[in-house]
Amino acid sequence: MEVSGLPVELWQLILSYLCLPDLGRCSLVCRAWYELVLSLDKTRWRQLCLGCLEHRHPNWPNRPGVEPQSWREAFKQHYLASKTWTKNTQDPESSNCLSLFRRRKGRRRLCIGAGGEFGSLRAALAAASSYDCLVLLPGVHEEQGEVLLKVPVEVVGQGKLGDVALLASIDQHCPTARLCNVVFMPAHFTSVLYKTTSGYVQFDNCNFESGQLQIHAPGACQVKFCTFNQSSIHLRNVALCVLENCEFIGSENASVTVEGCPSSDRNWACKHLAMLAKSCAASMQEPDPAGCPVAKQNSWGESLLGPVGRCEIVVGEERSSFLSAVSAQALLGLAQEDTELGENLWAAKEEEYPALDSNSSDSDLCSDDEEDAQAVYKLPYQAHSLSHTLADVTDRRLQGNRLHALQRDLKLKSLQQELQQDKEAQSLANSLQGCIIRQCLFRDGKGGIFIYSRGQAKLEGSIFRDLTYAVRCIQNSKVIMLRNDIHHCKASGIFLRLSAGGLIADNNIHSNCEAGVDIRKGANPLVLCNKIHSGLRSGIVVVGNGKGIIRSNQIYGNKEAGIYILYNGNPAVSGNHIFQGLAAGVAVNENGRGQITGNIICENQWGGVDIRHGGNPILRNNLIFCGYSDGMVVGERGKGLIEGNAIYGNKGCGVWMMSSSLPHLVNNQISHNSIYGVAVFCHKDDAGNYTPGQGGSESFQEETEGASGENNPDSEEEYPAARHPISVALVELNRINHNGAAGLYVKSSEALNIIANVIHANHGGGVAVLQSSQLTHITNNSISCNSRGGVLVEAKCQVELRGNGIYDNSSHGIVSKGEGVIAENDIIGNHRCGIQLLQAADMKVTKNRIQSFRDYGIALFDEAKGLVQENLIFQGRSKKSILRPISNAEDCDIQNNMLLTFKKRFDMECMLINPPARPHIEGGALGSCTVTDGQRVSSITSRVDGGCHNHGSIFCTIL
């Protein structure tokens, strides 16, 4: 009959009464009938799928309320899986033809129990032939001794699950078997419910109570829709085993134990299990949005699970809505094409905050006549070696474009993109070896999966909750975890120890009492594209020579550090978004190392990056912004190469350093922070613990593994980031601009080198040295347009100022009350004195070029003394050159200085040509300087012992 002869709805009603074989016949009539049979997915196919006693809901146990995409496809998978056990063709000494004839014999159905043919399972097995079906009638069946399964049979419980209970210990000695719809309980003499050492066994819709399954190679198994109540499964050297849609409850130890390397001696069923696993994996490629509760993302990859706090720039101590070109576009996420809105914002804010303009000075208050007069005396200095960098700093649009480009480059990658670029990760994701666990639920027990002694396991789409730990992988074992949900574990979610490895990708790991992922003792996993959040401790911990590649993860909302590295941990951390943590974004401590590159680190309560106590990482090209404290903290004895980072918009300092630390701060953009750009402190306190929230209270249950014998650097291969050690902290080739206080603030009792930086338009002074009992070198820097003076040196400080260009600052060029050398600097266009020496200053001022428009070129007050020699002083409008005190003329030697007065503009333009305007940097502009390990642009002086090296503060002070 033609399909068009009746309405489709009527056909669907008629076909809904057909059984499975009849539906199959109807689908073979023609294409129209085939399409008609397919249209029954929500009706007849759903009834068939749910009506089968051998299977449960396709999305049980994790999402029983969510319908599958196709009920027909789910029923098909159930049916094919239930027939896997019959595909054995390796009967000894028989040809394929005989095997086919043997399997086509009519299968007998033997009933066991009250009213059945046999009183016990043992008796039925003695009479059974191959592939017979043994039906256990409702009731409790108990076997007094171990039951040997010598022929391939199927054991099925009649009725609903729970109607049939079997108290027995079964030892399989046949090639294949299937058990279905049975509740297994341990016999009185053993806790082993079932074991096989050679054959294949299939469990469908069974319950296991207080016992254990043991599968040893070359044996194999498939377990589907089963419940393990205080029970476990132990797999030893198994080549391939599949656990799907199972529930594990209340385990006293690990629910699944995988021991030993997958055997090369494969069971006959392995190829069938591999085909089944691949077909199931194809349907799991795209994660279901109704699955694990993952965080939605905006363009920055930030979580939208809860309200995301917005960053406000803090100027001084008052909160302001002022946003620079950097902040207005990058922080608010404005599109690059929204230039009109950005310009309007700038126009409004520049009126309100004129002092933060890149060229702001008190000359803005001068009359037009005075401005014209000042222009006559203005010396051109824009051609110095750092002028290109200075142009980048003052060009707001260019800065915004660069940050947009950086934001685009650091966009979070998807797992698919990662797998396309990383062949090793792709190979791991596609591997099918050992134990494969899919869509399972592990809850309310001690452990989920334990893998050891070179074992292998693959976990997909499973949920681990309310356990002591979810996964523990040790001893050269390998775990592949894809799209799992791991939460509310009493310890860490995932442990990796003793050279373990694998792939941990696209998982949702949250709300665990310890670290989300714990990597120790040489473990080296790939951790990609996970969401690790809301932990009561750190997100990821790398301890005791742990390694790993941590890439493209979202790590947020953890109570302690997002990533915590210590005891020679040495991971590669790149492309992650680490935000909204309640402590530091990344903490490197206790000789931790690591390469931290290309991450977005923002909105953390403490430092974006925190380095202390021998931590020695490499930080490159990270975006560290909008922190509620300092952008970066280098605490007591912290080290590391900090290169090419953008650090801006933080409510504390851009970089906060302890004088006892030895960082190498090079080629960073440090701007628009609320307090200092870079601050160096020396606090003397006896605090022995970490600041709360920095990760110092992290609990390590196995500290002997992480910190005893394996944290010896000599036992590790050569550190790939090894550099020639530096003996003095180095701040070099940085752009420090538009910060809320001084660009660089020094209060230290250790030596410090400040070399070739651009320090521009900061709301305080350019450089302020308040304490420096050992020599501070300030060399070849461009210090310009700061709202106060260029350089301030307080009493008893030792400073060498050499080769700097100090231009257009709103107060004095240099004010010194301390000791040292001021030599070969260009101090031009500052609004007060070029150099002012106060109190008991004792400075050697030689070979400088100095000009002040309205004040003295050099002024000495109080008891100032020293040598003022061979300086070139350009006369300003005030006609003032050198002011010297009369009281201490014998202690102040002023000689061979030259005063120049020019009347023609042409002469003025020639004044800073031979030599050119300072600073002079070999290699040109800042952006073109190449930084290589072990080779520096500048020379380093040796550290002098003393000061507070051993008493430095370990606190990051929130200002």
Side-chain angles (χ1 to χ4, degrees):
M1 184 176 180
E2 292 293 333
V3 172
S4 58
L6 289 175
V8 174
E9 293 78 8
L10 187 55
W11 277 119
Q12 291 177 343
L13 178 62
I14 294 171
L15 295 178
S16 67
Y17 290 95
L18 298 183
C19 60
L20 182 61
D22 292 335
L23 284 175
R25 296 185 185 99
C26 290
S27 66
L28 297 176
V29 173
C30 63
R31 179 173 295 277
W33 279 69
Y34 175 75
E35 297 292 340
L36 190 60
V37 171
L38 291 184
S39 70
L40 303 175
D41 190 79
K42 302 293 184 182
T43 55
R44 185 54 179 160
W45 288 113
R46 183 178 185 276
Q47 292 173 358
L48 289 172
C49 191
L50 295 178
C52 181
L53 295 178
E54 298 179 358
H55 305 291
R56 308 189 195 189
H57 190 284
N59 289 324
W60 183 89
N62 293 337
R63 298 175 295 156
V66 179
E67 292 195 356
Q69 293 182 352
S70 170
W71 285 98
R72 174 182 170 275
E73 185 63 27
F75 183 80
K76 174 184 174 182
Q77 294 297 331
H78 288 339
Y79 182 82
L80 292 177
S82 66
K83 303 302 178 185
T84 302
W85 78 282
T86 64
K87 295 180 180 179
N88 172 39
T89 58
Q90 295 187 2
D91 296 319
E93 299 180 3
S94 63
S95 66
N96 289 336
C97 292
L98 293 178
S99 175
L100 291 173
F101 280 118
R102 180 178 293 113
R103 289 173 63 183
R104 287 177 180 173
K105 286 177 54 180
R107 294 177 57 198
R108 292 188 301 166
R109 181 181 174 90
L110 308 180
C111 294
I112 304 166
E117 306 166 42
F118 300 93
S120 67
L121 178 61
R122 191 188 307 274
L125 287 172
S129 300
S130 297
Y131 305 102
D132 282 347
C133 179
L134 280 59
V135 179
L136 295 173
L137 300 178
V140 177
H141 302 262
E142 183 175 4
E143 300 293 333
Q144 297 302 318
E146 186 176 66
V147 177
L148 299 182
L149 209 60
K150 297 182 178 179
V151 293
V153 294
E154 182 179 29
V155 180
V156 180
Q158 190 179 67
K160 296 181 180 180
L161 179 62
D163 291 346
V164 176
L166 177 61
L167 282 71
S169 177
I170 301 175
D171 188 356
Q172 178 181 333
H173 290 263
C174 57
T176 183
R178 177 174 183 255
L179 297 98
C180 176
N181 207 38
V182 177
V183 175
F184 288 87
M185 302 177 71
H188 62 87
F189 54 87
T190 181
S191 62
V192 178
L193 302 174
Y194 196 101
K195 66 179 179 181
T196 179
T197 57
S198 59
Y200 165 79
V201 61
Q202 182 172 325
F203 295 97
D204 291 317
N205 196 36
C206 295
N207 282 3
F208 300 93
E209 302 286 340
S210 304
Q212 186 183 74
L213 304 185
Q214 294 182 356
I215 312 296
H216 294 183
C221 72
Q222 178 185 356
V223 185
K224 296 190 68 174
F225 298 100
C226 293
T227 297
F228 290 76
N229 187 12
Q230 296 184 341
S231 299
S232 62
I233 178 169
H234 189 107
L235 307 171
R236 184 173 182 181
N237 298 109
V238 174
L240 191 58
C241 166
V242 178
L243 308 179
E244 290 186 287
N245 298 91
C246 293
E247 183 179 28
F248 295 83
I249 309 170
S251 62
E252 295 181 358
N253 292 297
S255 298
V256 179
T257 300
V258 183
E259 175 191 0
C261 183
S263 173
S264 58
D265 185 9
R266 289 176 169 262
N267 188 285
W268 65 269
C270 286
K271 66 176 182 179
H272 300 290
L273 289 177
M275 292 174 60
L276 184 65
K278 288 179 181 178
S279 65
C280 293
S283 63
M284 293 181 60
Q285 290 301 317
E286 293 298 329
D288 195 324
C292 300
V294 297
K296 297 180 181 178
Q297 302 175 33
N298 60 11
S299 61
W300 281 87
E302 297 174 348
S303 167
L304 297 182
L305 285 176
V308 178
R310 281 295 175 193
C311 171
E312 292 182 324
I313 299 296
V314 174
V315 181
E317 296 181 354
E318 296 181 359
R319 177 170 296 185
S320 169
S321 60
F322 170 74
L323 297 177
S324 67
V326 176
S327 307
Q329 295 181 8
L331 302 188
L332 294 179
L334 295 178
Q336 191 168 355
E337 57 268 23
D338 293 342
T339 55
E340 182 179 354
L341 177 60
E343 290 172 358
N344 293 337
L345 176 63
W346 261 106
K349 293 306 177 182
E350 283 177 352
E351 293 178 2
E352 186 177 355
Y353 296 92
L356 284 187
D357 183 66
S358 60
N359 296 310
S360 63
S361 67
D362 58 7
S363 64
D364 297 335
L365 305 178
C366 299
S367 65
D368 292 340
D369 292 340
E370 189 170 359
E371 289 179 358
D372 293 340
Q374 183 173 347
V376 173
Y377 291 92
K378 186 175 179 64
L379 293 175
Y381 56 83
Q382 288 77 10
H384 60 76
S385 297
L386 297 178
S387 58
H388 294 88
T389 300
L390 186 59
D392 294 347
V393 169
T394 56
D395 189 333
R396 298 186 295 269
R397 188 181 299 276
L398 180 59
Q399 257 189 313
N401 291 343
R402 287 187 173 180
L403 282 167
H404 274 291
L406 183 58
Q407 172 190 350
R408 182 179 63 251
D409 293 341
L410 299 183
K411 184 178 179 181
L412 204 65
K413 294 181 181 178
S414 66
L415 179 59
Q416 183 178 3
Q417 292 172 322
E418 286 287 356
L419 295 182
Q420 287 174 351
Q421 297 176 7
D422 192 330
K423 298 304 180 184
E424 179 186 359
Q426 187 179 75
S427 176
L428 288 170
N430 295 330
S431 65
L432 293 172
Q433 273 193 317
C435 179
I436 298 174
I437 300 173
R438 287 203 179 105
Q439 306 289 349
C440 292
L441 172 62
F442 297 81
R443 64 181 179 90
D444 303 315
K446 181 177 181 180
I449 315 294
F450 180 39
I451 311 160
Y452 71 103
S453 189
R454 301 177 64 197
Q456 293 190 31
K458 184 175 184 179
L459 287 62
E460 294 185 75
S462 297
I463 294 177
F464 301 80
R465 62 178 174 86
D466 298 304
L467 304 166
T468 300
Y469 65 87
V471 177
R472 186 180 181 88
C473 184
I474 65 173
Q475 296 174 350
N476 297 97
S477 298
K478 187 180 296 183
V479 61
I480 296 98
M481 301 184 65
L482 303 174
R483 293 178 286 275
N484 301 282
D485 194 0
I486 301 167
H487 61 93
H488 291 96
C489 294
K490 297 178 180 62
S492 296
I494 303 171
F495 289 87
L496 295 107
R497 302 282 190 280
L498 300 171
S499 303
L503 173 66
I504 301 170
D506 206 12
N507 301 283
N508 188 27
I509 305 170
H510 65 95
S511 307
N512 298 290
C513 292
E514 299 288 342
V517 181
D518 192 311
I519 303 169
R520 307 192 189 196
K521 299 193 72 173
N524 190 19
L526 280 167
V527 184
L528 308 178
C529 305
N530 301 282
K531 294 178 178 65
I532 305 173
H533 61 97
S534 306
L536 299 184
R537 292 291 178 89
S538 299
I540 299 176
V541 170
V542 186
V543 188
N545 292 323
K547 301 177 185 177
I549 296 174
I550 302 170
R551 197 167 64 224
S552 299
N553 300 280
Q554 290 187 64
I555 304 172
Y556 59 95
N558 298 287
K559 192 173 181 180
E560 295 185 359
I563 298 177
Y564 191 26
I565 306 169
L566 68 166
Y567 295 122
N568 287 326
N570 188 18
V573 181
S574 63
N576 302 282
H577 290 189
I578 306 168
F579 58 98
Q580 294 182 354
L582 300 182
V586 178
V588 186
N589 217 321
E590 302 296 346
N591 300 314
R593 298 178 294 186
Q595 300 187 49
I596 302 166
T597 59
N599 302 280
I600 289 179
I601 305 172
C602 65
E603 295 185 352
N604 297 286
Q605 292 290 336
W606 295 82
V609 178
D610 191 286
I611 306 169
R612 303 173 189 263
H613 288 195
N616 189 16
I618 293 176
L619 288 103
R620 281 198 178 103
N621 303 326
N622 299 284
L623 198 58
I624 304 171
F625 67 98
C626 272
Y628 294 101
S629 178
D630 305 310
M632 183 175 297
V633 176
V634 186
E636 184 179 10
R637 293 185 287 111
K639 303 177 184 178
L641 173 62
I642 302 166
E643 178 184 10
N645 303 281
I647 305 169
Y648 67 93
N650 299 285
K651 292 188 177 181
C653 305
V655 178
W656 189 99
M657 295 164 48
M658 287 286 297
S659 63
S660 60
S661 63
L662 288 175
H664 189 164
L665 192 69
V666 56
N667 201 17
N668 300 280
Q669 171 70 49
I670 304 169
S671 61
H672 297 91
N673 300 286
S674 294
I675 312 180
Y676 306 111
V678 178
V680 184
F681 286 97
C682 177
H683 289 184
K684 294 185 178 181
D685 54 52
D686 55 356
N689 298 318
Y690 295 101
T691 306
Q694 289 299 316
S697 58
E698 186 79 47
S699 175
F700 301 104
Q701 295 90 341
E702 299 176 357
E703 197 61 63
T704 55
E705 294 182 6
S708 59
E710 294 212 4
N711 62 348
N712 182 1
D714 297 335
S715 65
E716 191 79 6
E717 69 274 10
E718 184 178 355
Y719 183 23
R723 306 177 296 277
H724 293 304
I726 63 174
S727 57
V728 177
L730 180 61
V731 180
E732 182 178 21
L733 296 167
N734 301 283
R735 297 174 293 277
I736 305 171
N737 62 282
H738 296 95
N739 296 287
L744 206 155
Y745 181 93
V746 180
K747 194 173 182 180
S748 168
S749 61
E750 302 288 347
L752 176 67
N753 289 334
I754 302 167
I755 300 171
N757 302 279
V758 170
I759 304 172
H760 177 79
N762 296 284
H763 200 53
V767 179
V769 183
L770 275 69
Q771 178 182 335
S772 178
S773 56
Q774 296 190 37
L775 191 61
T776 297
H777 290 268
I778 304 174
T779 307
N780 292 336
N781 300 278
S782 172
I783 305 171
S784 61
C785 300
N786 297 285
S787 296
R788 296 185 182 177
V791 178
L792 170 65
V793 180
E794 283 290 349
K796 301 181 180 179
C797 293
Q798 299 183 40
V799 174
E800 180 183 4
L801 283 152
R802 188 179 297 274
N804 302 282
I806 303 173
Y807 306 112
D808 280 340
N809 296 286
S810 297
S811 185
H812 306 287
I814 299 174
V815 175
S816 177
K817 305 173 187 177
E819 304 172 1
V821 177
I822 302 174
E824 299 177 0
N825 301 280
D826 286 344
I827 308 168
I828 305 295
N830 300 286
H831 297 176
R832 301 291 300 276
C833 296
I835 298 175
Q836 187 179 73
L837 305 182
L838 302 173
Q839 298 178 7
D842 186 1
M843 303 294 294
K844 182 178 180 181
V845 183
T846 62
K847 298 182 181 179
N848 300 281
R849 294 185 294 191
I850 305 169
Q851 185 219 32
S852 176
F853 176 62
R854 285 177 292 181
D855 213 327
Y856 288 97
I858 301 174
L860 294 86
F861 295 95
D862 306 323
E863 302 300 321
K865 58 184 179 179
L867 174 64
V868 180
Q869 179 179 328
E870 298 181 11
N871 298 284
L872 182 61
I873 302 175
F874 302 104
Q875 183 175 332
R877 184 180 183 186
S878 65
K879 312 297 183 182
K880 299 175 182 179
S881 57
I882 299 177
L883 173 66
R884 62 182 297 177
I886 303 301
S887 59
N888 63 341
E890 67 279 1
D891 296 326
C892 185
D893 188 2
I894 301 176
Q895 60 184 10
N896 298 332
N897 298 284
M898 183 179 295
L899 175 64
L900 294 182
T901 302
F902 291 88
K903 297 181 179 180
K904 295 181 180 180
R905 180 64 180 168
F906 175 78
D907 296 331
M908 300 292 289
E909 293 175 349
C910 298
M911 287 182 179
L912 298 181
I913 291 180
N914 188 20
R918 297 182 176 96
H920 303 153
I921 306 297
E922 184 178 354
L926 178 65
S928 64
C929 293
T930 303
V931 180
T932 57
D933 295 337
Q935 182 177 358
R936 303 303 325 139
V937 176
S938 59
S939 61
I940 310 300
T941 59
S942 299
R943 171 179 291 275
V944 179
D945 294 334
C948 60
H949 178 79
N950 296 320
H951 305 284
S953 171
I954 57 176
F955 283 97
C956 167
T957 305
I958 299 299
L959 300 178

